[in-house]
Amino acid sequence: MSNLLGIGEALALVLERARALPAEDVPIGDAAGRVLAADAHAVTDLPPFDSSAMDGYAVRAADTPGLLSVVGHSAAGRPASRRVEQREAVEISTGAVVPEGADAVVPVERTKGEVEVEEVAAGENVRVRGGDVRAGDVVAAAGELLGPTQVGALAAAGVGVVSCARRPRAAVLATGTELRPPGSPLAAGEIYESNSVLLRAQLAEGGAVVEVLQSVSDDEAATRAAVERGLQADVLITSGGVSVGPHDLVRGVLADLGAEEIFWRVAVKPGKPIAFAVRDGTLVFGLPGNPVSSLVGFELYVRPALRALQGERDPGPRYASATLARTTPRNRDRDEFLRARREGDSLDPLEGQGSHMIVRAALANALVHIPRGDGEVGAGARVDYLSI
Ligand code: AMP
Ligand code: MG
């Protein structure tokens, strides 16, 4: 067994340092994708009044069936001016106030003329005041990620502004003399710079406000200047240059700039040489340059850190489980994350598991966790995976 840090220990060291950022007020129209910093309560009962579920006539159920006299109208936003007395009806539209005295609505399809109504039971077609939520009740709780349905619910309950941790500001810095931007020609020995593109998309998806810094070659002064700038963010993600080669400068530069290295190297494949450091509250993730290592490192540590910075209750990573389609050897020393295709309950690891094979990885929709150990995990075994 190796004595490297395990992925669980590494994640714990990250999350200890990823405290929720200060809260700010967010208009509800902008709040989808944000995390609540405080419980949000209904301002009103919902519905705020007994309202009609149908177009028809508001009546007293005890008067039905029968011939009733129509004494008024109740339209959405325009309540009737009088109550419903015995053998009376008020013409009513969907969403309108059920007038005092009435206890049911006869849908227009169950009426004739002005107005003969079929039988209805008390309460029929009436949406009861507060039937969805009561004023003062919690609509969404602190730590909850607001999706479209949640912001819709909060707006319906009268909440115009919510309190959310501010979004983390993230800087991305790709390092490597060989890197060229996609769209430009390659000279001998050069490759296209893809990690900042991948990381930017992951960070944005994770709720961060992203700044991609100009890539740097493996030059100490250039790396130092760029890292110094990136350290102004809440989260700095560097790509490449954290291994043991003579051109791997990132860790040394971070140390020179006063960042405290919390860990370096984790017992995981791909992504072993990851570095994690902090300076003045900035979390620094030194991700290895191989694109799939970067992808996996982000999912294992950075995405959960972003969630924690936004105050999310369960920062993850959020594993699900399914059935492994083919027998897979374990790595004795390192937990592995295999790129796999999940269909239904079946996880099929793809051909081409090299950590440089980002195009193969792009065919995957799951990272299958194969815990380190001896032997193999057999076809049909239940395994954990992360969706990608
Ligand atoms: P490094 O971690 O710097 O040793 O890089 C490991 C491998 O990843 C090398 O083959 C690099 O060329 C490649 N690599 C480094 N950075 C990037 C990047 N930003 N985009 C694509 N590949 C990269
Ligand atoms: Mg490099």
Side-chain angles (χ1 to χ4, degrees):
M1 282 294 272
S2 89
N3 54 6
L4 290 181
L5 208 58
I7 52 171
E9 298 163 293
L11 178 66
L13 289 168
V14 169
L15 293 180
E16 268 171 39
R17 289 161 180 84
R19 299 263 162 257
L21 293 166
E24 62 187 8
D25 285 347
V26 180
I28 195 66
D30 297 331
R34 303 292 295 268
V35 179
L36 280 183
D39 291 353
H41 303 267
V43 172
T44 175
D45 289 341
L46 191 65
F49 45 85
D50 288 347
S51 75
S52 179
M54 304 290 250
D55 293 325
Y57 292 88
V59 299
R60 300 151 51 106
D63 294 342
T64 67
L67 189 62
L68 307 179
S69 41
V70 178
V71 296
H73 303 274
S74 182
R78 294 270 176 279
S81 51
R82 52 164 290 184
R83 48 180 290 130
V84 172
E85 304 291 356
Q86 215 175 349
R87 309 207 64 76
E88 290 181 345
V90 158
E91 194 181 6
I92 194 165
S93 52
T94 305
V97 176
V98 175
E100 290 281 310
D103 61 3
V105 170
V106 192
V108 69
E109 307 83 56
R110 288 163 61 192
T111 68
K112 267 201 297 198
E114 275 263 316
V115 64
E116 197 183 328
V117 303
E118 293 178 14
E119 185 170 4
V120 284
E124 216 177 312
N125 301 314
V126 176
R127 298 167 170 169
V128 183
R129 171 179 180 161
D132 195 3
V133 75
R134 289 276 181 200
D137 284 356
V138 172
V139 177
E144 206 174 305
L145 174 67
L146 300 177
T149 314
Q150 287 72 38
V151 293
L154 287 160
V159 178
V161 173
V162 286
S163 176
C164 300
R166 73 172 170 77
R167 286 183 186 279
R169 286 175 298 112
V172 178
L173 175 65
T175 73
T177 303
E178 74 280 27
L179 304 176
R180 285 294 165 269
S184 60
L186 290 181
E190 294 179 342
I191 63 164
Y192 288 121
E193 196 286 295
S194 60
N195 288 348
S196 74
V197 175
L198 170 58
L199 286 163
R200 175 185 183 164
Q202 287 176 306
L203 286 161
E205 192 185 71
V209 177
V210 189
E211 180 189 12
V212 177
L213 303 172
Q214 178 70 48
S215 302
V216 292
S217 59
D218 297 313
D219 169 89
E220 199 163 329
T223 304
R224 184 191 307 262
V227 166
E228 178 68 83
R229 166 135 190 227
L231 284 167
Q232 308 309 309
D234 300 308
V235 179
L236 168 60
I237 316 284
T238 64
S239 161
V242 286
S243 207
V244 289
H247 304 292
D248 291 330
L249 306 172
V250 170
R251 294 174 61 230
V253 163
L254 282 168
D256 286 350
L257 292 172
E260 178 195 358
E261 187 167 272
I262 307 298
F263 63 77
W264 174 56
R265 301 207 292 186
V266 177
V268 64
K269 184 180 175 192
K272 175 172 143 183
I274 184 172
F276 174 62
V278 291
R279 196 191 78 169
D280 298 339
T282 299
L283 307 181
V284 186
F285 296 88
L287 299 182
N290 275 306
V292 182
S293 308
S294 178
L295 168 78
V296 170
F298 184 93
E299 295 299 335
L300 292 184
Y301 322 105
V302 184
R303 192 186 294 281
L306 293 177
R307 290 197 181 116
L309 289 169
Q310 291 170 89
E312 227 181 306
R313 215 179 303 132
D314 166 26
R318 296 188 186 143
Y319 291 95
S321 67
T323 302
L324 191 63
R326 63 178 81 194
T327 297
T328 303
R330 289 178 192 269
N331 184 301
R332 173 172 303 209
D333 299 319
R334 294 194 272 162
D335 284 30
E336 271 201 80
F337 284 85
L338 301 177
R339 279 67 72 204
R341 191 78 216 155
R342 182 181 66 80
E343 265 159 50
D345 185 56
S346 174
L347 283 164
D348 198 4
L350 297 171
E351 293 295 320
Q353 292 286 333
S355 62
H356 60 298
M357 291 182 163
I358 188 64
V359 173
R360 304 295 183 106
L363 301 172
N365 59 5
L367 295 173
V368 178
H369 181 203
I370 305 290
R372 58 187 148 165
D374 292 319
E376 56 193 25
V377 181
R382 296 297 289 177
V383 287
D384 291 340
Y385 71 91
L386 297 172
S387 290
I388 54 168

